[in-house]
Structures are given as C-alpha cells and as structure tokens.
Amino acid sequence: MSGKHLIENPTKADGAALWRIARDSKKLDLNTPYAYLLWCHDFADTSVVAKVDGEPVGFVIGYRKQDTGFVWQVAVDASQRGKGLAGALLDDLFGRLAAQGVRYLETTITPDNEASIRLFASFAKRWDATLERQDLFSATDFPAEEGTHEQEDLYRIGPLSNN
C-alpha cells in the first residue's frame, strides 16, 4: 500500500476491515465484528476511515452528544504507523463535527496508553485548546468476569474552534 490517504466517512462495507485493524492493534478493547458493522452504519457521520488504494488503513469511530464529540476508538494499521495518520484522522473528524456544532472532544484512555495520551495532547496543542484529565472508570467498575481491566481516564479537549 503506497498510495495517498483518502479520509472519508465509513460505510458498512468497511466494518470488517475496521474490526481487523482494531484486533491487530493489540491495544484496543476489541468489540464484536457486528459492533463495527453497526458503527459504520449508524455512526458514519461521526466517524472517519483512512484508505489507501481503496483499502481501510486507519479509523476513528465516535459519536456526538450535544456539543461534544466522543472518540470511542482510534486505530491505524501497522503499515501506516509513524506517518501522522492518527492525528490527521482526528483533525479531519473534528472538522466534520465542528460543522455540526461540536466544540469539545472527549475520549477515555488507560494510564499505560502513552501513545494515545500523546495523540490527544498533540491534537489539543494543534487546535490551541485546553486538555483536562479526570478519573472516570476505576478498574473495579469493570466486570470481574472479563478479567483485569485498567482504569479509564476521561480526557476532555476544548473549547475548540474550526477557524
């Protein structure tokens, strides 16, 4: 895959590839393939996918709540890492969400996920916005039957302006 990245809203045809990219990241909580299909169908207007030569190589999936866009997952195929694609996906998504009245981005990140923390800190800096972190879900909030899950901290960025 050597072509230029095309960033667009996903379609249900992208769902299986998004699931594979998330699975191969070995960092994300992997949802069912059905969930990615639904995400691409029901939340396509609040999500973006990057493609090279027509094949998905990265994505940001999220949803909107009032003036806030919530980023559920960000993943980039191993072949495309280190090229600034995750940041470009976030920037593109915010541009689309700003047209819908979004002024804030939120996400949750486990404390050990330094790459995601850097990604969102860099986004806040590029957009000259405040980044705030607070505790959200403790490890004990997650079901014990699912094994050990780290706490998830809430990161909130904004207010953002599309100027």
Side-chain angles (χ1 to χ4, degrees):
M1 291 187 188
S2 60
K4 183 176 164 85
H5 294 120
L6 170 67
I7 299 176
E8 59 190 16
N9 295 111
T11 67
K12 70 177 182 175
D14 298 319
L18 271 56
W19 177 82
R20 283 191 292 278
I21 293 167
R23 178 200 63 198
D24 294 349
S25 77
K26 300 192 184 340
K27 188 65 182 164
L28 296 175
D29 287 340
L30 185 62
N31 300 291
T32 67
Y34 178 72
Y36 292 93
L37 288 168
L38 280 176
W39 213 279
C40 290
H41 183 264
D42 292 348
F43 296 100
D45 64 336
T46 56
S47 302
V48 289
V49 61
K51 295 180 179 180
V52 172
D53 301 330
E55 295 297 319
V57 295
F59 67 86
V60 177
I61 54 177
Y63 60 89
R64 181 178 170 201
K65 51 182 188 172
Q66 293 87 27
D67 67 347
T68 301
F70 186 87
V71 174
W72 182 264
Q73 288 186 326
V74 177
V76 173
D77 185 78
S79 70
Q80 302 298 310
R81 292 189 192 136
K83 299 179 180 182
L85 182 55
L89 283 161
L90 276 179
D91 288 345
D92 187 277
L93 177 63
F94 173 68
R96 293 166 192 257
L97 294 176
Q100 300 174 27
V102 166
R103 297 188 61 229
Y104 296 89
L105 280 185
E106 290 182 344
T107 194
T108 62
I109 306 172
T110 57
D112 73 333
N113 192 338
E114 295 175 15
S116 287
I117 294 168
R118 282 192 310 271
L119 172 65
F120 284 90
S122 175
F123 174 85
K125 185 175 182 178
R126 275 193 313 280
W127 289 89
D128 193 28
T130 302
L131 183 145
E132 298 174 347
R133 189 212 64 82
Q134 66 183 40
D135 294 345
L136 184 61
F137 300 122
S138 72
T140 58
D141 290 331
F142 294 92
E145 295 83 9
E146 292 295 313
T148 304
H149 192 295
E150 284 190 82
Q151 77 182 47
E152 292 274 351
D153 298 331
L154 178 68
Y155 286 77
R156 182 172 171 86
I157 302 169
L160 294 157
S161 173
N162 197 20
N163 297 333

